[in-house]
């Protein structure tokens, strides 16, 4: 059984930083593409960042240069370091795992290609 558990969300002032973590069980994160998505109230879930099997990363334009996705193979976790936070970053952040067999460098920004999801962690950025 695959389980993803996010942590690290909270309330922060604009310009501040937070680090989200996603602990995985039932799958080895280094064998799959792992993504972060977010959903703000009244909006659709949107792609934030992904790290693929080869360790390559890709970011949404809205977070590029401010957010960094990384993977700790020893701990089987994926993290999202968020700096220079803005009020528009306020959302529930979800970790997701793409369990389909993929090429080593493949990554997807489409939520429907991810098979497993965490429960989400709230990030609130005050102005």
């Amino acid at each position: 059984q695959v389980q993803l558990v996010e942590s690290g969300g909270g309330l922060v002032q604009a310009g501040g930083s937070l680090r989200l973590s996603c602990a995985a069980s039932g799958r080895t994160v280094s064998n799959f593409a792992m993504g972060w998505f977010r959903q703000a109230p009244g909006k659709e879930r949107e792609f934030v960042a992904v790290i693929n099997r080869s360790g390559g990363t890709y970011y949404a334009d809205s977070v590029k240069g401010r957010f960094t996705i990384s993977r700790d193979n020893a701990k089987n976790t994926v993290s999202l370091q968020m700096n220079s936070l803005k009020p528009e970053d306020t959302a529930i952040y979800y970790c997701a795992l793409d369990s389909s067999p993929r090429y080593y460098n493949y990554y997807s920004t489409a939520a429907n290609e991810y098979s497993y999801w965490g429960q989400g962690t709230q990030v609130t950025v005050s102005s």
Side-chain angles (χ1 to χ4, degrees):
Q1 183 178 359
V2 179
Q3 189 172 20
L4 304 175
V5 179
E6 301 99 334
S7 61
L11 173 64
V12 64
Q13 288 189 332
S17 299
L18 282 175
R19 185 177 181 85
L20 306 183
S21 291
C22 173
S25 59
R27 290 289 190 278
T28 301
V29 296
S30 60
N31 291 338
F32 302 94
M34 298 289 297
W36 283 95
F37 291 77
R38 66 187 182 186
Q39 188 166 18
K43 295 188 176 181
E44 293 189 353
R45 191 168 297 191
E46 65 173 1
F47 167 78
V48 175
V50 60
I51 183 167
N52 63 19
R53 293 175 61 198
S54 68
T57 58
Y58 183 77
Y59 299 91
D61 287 343
S62 58
V63 307
K64 200 173 296 182
R66 300 188 298 122
F67 291 11
T68 303
I69 188 171
S70 61
R71 184 173 65 206
D72 187 328
N73 294 340
K75 296 182 179 179
N76 208 37
T77 59
V78 175
S79 297
L80 185 69
Q81 178 66 43
M82 305 186 296
N83 299 329
S84 302
L85 283 161
K86 304 175 182 180
E88 51 263 44
D89 294 320
T90 295
I92 299 175
Y93 283 70
Y94 298 90
C95 171
L97 182 151
D98 176 3
S99 65
S100 298
R102 305 290 191 189
Y103 290 112
Y104 199 56
N105 293 323
Y106 182 88
Y107 65 84
S108 175
T109 63
N112 61 9
E113 293 200 11
Y114 288 79
S115 314
Y116 297 98
W117 293 82
Q119 82 289 350
T121 186
Q122 177 71 47
V123 171
T124 303
V125 184
S126 63
S127 57

